[in-house]
Amino acid sequence: MPTILTNAELILETETRRGTLVFDETGILSVESGASSAPGAIDCAGDYVSPGLIEMHTDNMEKHFMPRPKVFWPNGLAAALAHDAQMAAAGVTTVFDALCAGAVSGDKDYRRDIFGQVIEAVATGMDEGLFRIEHKIHIRCELTGSSTVEDITPYRDHPLLGLVSLMDHTPGQRQWRNMADLRTYTIGGGEKTESEFDRDVALRLERGPANVAANRPRVIAMFRDRGLPLATHDDTTLADVEDAAACGAVISEFPTTEEAAAAAHRHKLSTILGGPNIVRGGSHSSGVSAALMAEKGLLDGISSDYVPASLLQAVETLTRRHGIALPDAMAKVTWRIADMVGLADRGRLKPGLRADILRFRFVGQTPVVTESFCAGRRAF
């Protein structure tokens, strides 16, 4: 029997409408105005019903593999299942698990240690039908790394790979152009001591630029014929965006300045900024205000980044504090993301599309997920 959600506030592409949604595992069957008296219809009592959220860049998985600095969880599949449940509870029905490949020696080498383990755990969870939601892989290619190409080569043709991004975390530029922010992030997070930090920065400045020059063309060439969307990370200057456009990127993730966000739009790159930036009222690393970019029409999509629940919280914040209409705010976590990453079968409440469905309400300023469905099956 199909699932019927009625007396719901349906969030469509350009409007909200009180109505009824009917779906099953084959997809969305109908989107209707008004209430339904069909047997088995679920009265949503005015709750919002929207497409399931699509998360295209979260490193939350890595937290479960290393829950404390230098503490590795011994069961990779268990870590992946915990992450999966957390994403489902946040209303996400499709997640691109962002995994960092490559590291300058001494800089977050743990990510290299767990890289293959995470991919294996995600593949097992998907193959065995263990996850609540759909998982895809987003490889974040750290171009400063000495082993980047070596690390990603075995996974070039992995069937779950859906997105590739280029990163350059050389100290003194892009995200870490403010060295004080990098020091606070690294030492305050317990990753390194003061002396370890100083040695690491010296090493990264010595080796990073040469590695970037060698790795960038090789990584771009490796994925060019896969037809995968390519993103750049932390674009800061006009030159950064021009380089991104020249290499075929279609997404500018986390541009750090208004100049870069505006240039990305001129070059037809979609922009992504963090939900935590919106919820907290600013970036943790001196980046541009995501909410301000939304007000100026320079923000296309939102990523939960390091806080899964920030997606819906960011939607609430944009509508309440920044004058963004609810359908426009929800678009930044649903169909706009689907369009960016080439998932034409989801992200909208339309007959014939995949039944990735979210039901939620607001309690004060807090979004509360009531239930969700992934491909028509209950996920939360």
Side-chain angles (χ1 to χ4, degrees):
M1 294 291 292
T3 299
I4 304 172
L5 300 180
T6 194
N7 192 23
E9 197 68 21
L10 304 178
I11 304 179
L12 308 176
E13 289 178 69
T14 60
E15 63 173 334
T16 63
R17 181 194 310 165
R18 187 61 64 96
T20 300
L21 183 73
V22 183
F23 61 92
D24 62 16
E25 293 184 14
T26 69
I28 296 175
L29 302 177
S30 67
V31 181
E32 306 164 359
S33 297
S36 171
S37 59
I42 300 170
D43 185 353
C44 293
D47 284 356
Y48 290 105
V49 170
S50 75
L53 309 185
I54 303 172
E55 171 50 71
M56 50 83 73
H57 180 127
T58 175
D59 54 11
N60 188 63
M61 175 77 84
E62 292 176 339
K63 293 181 182 179
H64 291 277
F65 274 74
M66 200 182 89
R68 291 287 186 272
K70 302 177 183 178
V71 173
F72 296 90
W73 202 250
N75 187 319
L77 182 56
L81 287 167
H83 161 70
D84 172 74
Q86 190 174 5
M87 298 307 297
V92 174
T93 52
T94 303
V95 59
F96 285 72
D97 296 316
L99 312 177
C100 185
V104 177
S105 178
D107 178 37
K108 288 190 175 179
D109 283 339
Y110 73 85
R111 283 179 163 168
R112 189 180 189 203
D113 294 335
I114 67 174
F115 182 69
Q117 298 173 35
V118 176
I119 293 179
E120 180 182 356
V122 173
T124 299
M126 287 296 295
D127 290 344
E128 299 294 332
L130 302 177
F131 290 144
R132 298 166 181 260
I133 65 174
E134 182 170 357
H135 290 250
K136 296 181 180 293
I137 298 296
H138 170 179
I139 294 183
R140 304 167 61 204
C141 304
E142 180 54 66
L143 299 179
T144 64
S146 305
S147 63
T148 302
V149 173
E150 173 188 348
D151 290 349
I152 64 179
T153 296
Y155 305 101
R156 175 192 177 278
D157 297 313
H158 198 285
L160 292 180
L161 180 58
L163 179 63
V164 175
S165 59
L166 308 177
M167 304 191 302
D168 179 354
H169 284 105
T170 301
Q173 64 181 39
R174 293 184 180 254
Q175 180 182 12
W176 300 128
R177 63 196 184 282
N178 185 327
M179 294 292 286
D181 288 336
L182 177 58
R183 180 178 293 273
T184 298
Y185 177 84
T186 305
I187 297 173
E191 290 183 13
K192 299 182 187 298
T193 65
E194 288 275 0
S195 60
E196 288 173 338
F197 172 81
D198 291 337
R199 287 196 301 271
D200 182 60
V201 167
L203 182 65
R204 292 166 69 180
L205 290 173
E206 175 188 348
R207 299 182 181 178
N211 286 339
V212 172
N215 288 332
R216 186 181 179 90
R218 295 179 66 189
V219 171
I220 293 170
M222 182 182 299
F223 294 107
R224 182 174 289 126
D225 62 352
R226 279 288 318 267
L228 298 174
L230 180 67
T232 52
H233 199 269
D234 299 324
D235 293 328
T236 298
T237 66
L238 178 59
D240 291 338
V241 177
E242 290 174 342
D243 286 346
C247 76
V250 295
I251 302 169
S252 177
E253 295 188 306
F254 308 105
T256 67
T257 62
E258 182 177 342
E259 175 190 25
H265 272 198
R266 289 197 300 272
H267 286 277
K268 310 302 182 185
L269 275 71
S270 298
T271 56
I272 293 290
L273 284 164
N277 184 319
I278 295 171
V279 175
R280 296 178 60 252
S283 167
H284 73 279
S285 56
S286 301
V288 71
S289 163
L292 177 61
M293 293 303 93
E295 290 178 2
K296 293 190 173 187
L298 295 175
L299 176 62
D300 298 310
I302 302 170
S303 161
S304 68
D305 200 7
Y306 56 95
V307 183
S310 69
L311 286 179
L312 276 180
Q313 290 179 31
V315 167
E316 190 279 335
T317 301
L318 287 179
T319 57
R320 175 174 52 86
R321 298 184 58 185
H322 300 281
I324 308 298
L326 181 58
D328 293 336
M330 285 298 297
K332 300 180 192 304
V333 294
T334 55
W335 65 264
R336 288 191 182 277
I337 303 295
D339 289 355
M340 286 181 209
V341 296
L343 296 177
D345 64 341
R346 68 198 73 182
R348 295 170 170 87
L349 296 184
K350 285 187 174 181
L353 293 190
R354 176 177 155 122
D356 288 354
I357 309 298
L358 171 63
R359 176 184 169 190
F360 69 97
R361 66 170 68 99
F362 292 111
V363 177
Q365 298 174 7
T366 304
V368 178
V369 173
T370 305
E371 58 185 338
S372 67
F373 301 82
C374 182
R377 287 182 263 188
R378 186 179 294 275
F380 180 81

